[in-house]
Amino acid sequence: MYSFNGRVRYSEVDREGFLTLASILDYFQDCSSFQSEELQVGIEFLAEKQVAWVLSSWQVEVKRYPVHGEKIIVSTWPYDFNGFFGYRNFTMAQEDGGILAFANSVWVQLDLQKGRPGRILPEIAEVYQKSPKFPMEYDSRKIRLPEEMKPEKSFSVHKYHIDTNQHVNNGKYISMAQEYLPEGFKIGKMRAEYRKAAVYGDVIYPFVQQEGKRIVVNLADEKEKPYAVVELEEYQ
């Protein structure tokens, strides 16, 4: 397990002073990248080997959103490697260890030369110490699209959406999807399925449907084929 201590910054909170979901994802993503860098299998190593980690799916649940100034502990660990898939848990805890949020994630190692998934390199899998899975209910990484969805206004991918892999960062899709939430909707659970990478200059066509406390957003191309599908559930 790898952990680091943090404190909720003003730049990370919403208008009510709570840490945003997007910032929780940033903390989780940063935690995994910090671990990779410490194990010397980070950005430079991956570039040399011509491989990249691409997120296939998120499942994030929030028990309580921490507030501005609150001290937090962010942790992550891989629990399995299988073929070209890597499986990783995350937690965010308060100072006394009480869990604030937790997540499951599924990653794919991409062979950049061949442009398709490749088996995880042994020198990568060997440096990580696997730990048991976090005790949570594990949903399918596939998200069902409703039969009828309302089209919303399209928009272009901007430079600030792009990360070091030269495509839209996984967290940016979540921020895009949140634009379609009704006023007062507080997210208790989020799932995201990433189907293909959007790059700078692409146009995203959103389609939205609400089913009770569940909202599904399809962030698609001009043919309605998803770049990412995001499911947001309100606190029960």
Side-chain angles (χ1 to χ4, degrees):
M1 179 186 291
Y2 177 88
S3 301
F4 76 92
N5 296 328
R7 191 174 185 184
V8 177
R9 300 166 176 84
Y10 183 77
S11 59
E12 299 170 333
V13 301
D14 60 20
R15 62 187 181 184
E16 297 177 337
F18 293 99
L19 186 67
T20 65
L21 178 60
S23 294
I24 291 175
L25 296 180
D26 286 343
Y27 272 109
F28 286 167
Q29 185 169 239
D30 289 344
C31 192
S32 62
S33 65
F34 290 160
Q35 182 184 33
S36 298
E37 294 297 336
E38 285 210 2
L39 294 174
Q40 300 183 346
V41 289
I43 293 174
E44 290 186 7
F45 175 87
L46 297 175
E48 290 174 2
K49 297 295 184 180
Q50 286 290 287
V51 297
W53 285 110
V54 178
L55 188 60
S56 175
S57 67
W58 268 124
Q59 179 185 342
V60 181
E61 299 189 37
V62 182
K63 297 180 68 176
R64 178 177 71 82
Y65 286 89
V67 298
H68 173 239
E70 186 170 349
K71 294 180 180 179
I72 55 175
I73 304 166
V74 186
S75 303
T76 188
W77 63 94
Y79 61 84
D80 196 17
F81 296 105
N82 185 5
F84 49 77
F85 286 106
Y87 302 84
R88 178 180 284 274
N89 284 137
F90 297 85
T91 60
M92 177 178 286
Q94 54 199 33
E95 280 193 290
D96 64 5
I99 297 297
L100 297 166
F102 53 89
N104 182 50
S105 61
V106 181
W107 301 76
V108 172
Q109 190 165 105
L110 189 66
D111 185 321
L112 297 177
Q113 290 182 317
K114 297 179 180 178
R116 62 174 184 264
R119 294 187 66 84
I120 295 172
L121 300 178
E123 55 263 53
I124 291 179
E126 289 169 1
V127 298
Y128 288 104
Q129 181 177 355
K130 291 186 288 187
S131 297
K133 295 170 68 173
F134 184 78
M136 58 181 284
E137 184 177 338
Y138 287 78
D139 292 335
S140 169
R141 65 186 182 91
K142 298 290 186 181
I143 299 176
R144 176 185 62 82
L145 283 173
E147 292 185 4
E148 295 184 7
M149 303 188 74
K150 178 186 175 184
E152 299 286 351
K153 185 178 179 180
S154 63
F155 58 90
S156 298
V157 172
H158 297 289
K159 292 179 180 178
Y160 64 82
H161 293 134
I162 305 302
D163 63 18
T164 58
N165 290 322
Q166 306 307 310
H167 56 60
V168 175
N169 180 266
N170 66 81
K172 299 298 185 184
Y173 291 106
I174 312 307
S175 296
M176 294 172 186
Q178 286 183 258
E179 286 295 313
Y180 307 102
L181 294 179
E183 190 70 25
F185 189 104
K186 195 71 171 178
I187 301 167
K189 181 177 178 180
M190 183 278 290
R191 289 198 300 151
E193 179 190 354
Y194 301 94
R195 299 194 185 181
K196 67 174 182 175
V199 300
Y200 175 60
D202 281 342
V203 176
I204 292 181
Y205 296 80
F207 297 86
V208 182
Q209 182 60 273
Q210 181 168 0
E211 299 174 335
K213 292 183 176 292
R214 171 180 179 265
I215 293 178
V216 179
V217 182
N218 177 14
L219 299 165
D221 63 16
E222 69 279 2
K223 297 180 180 178
E224 301 186 22
K225 294 189 177 299
Y227 291 113
V229 180
V230 181
E231 179 188 81
L232 303 164
E233 287 189 27
E234 196 168 15
Y235 273 121
Q236 299 299 320

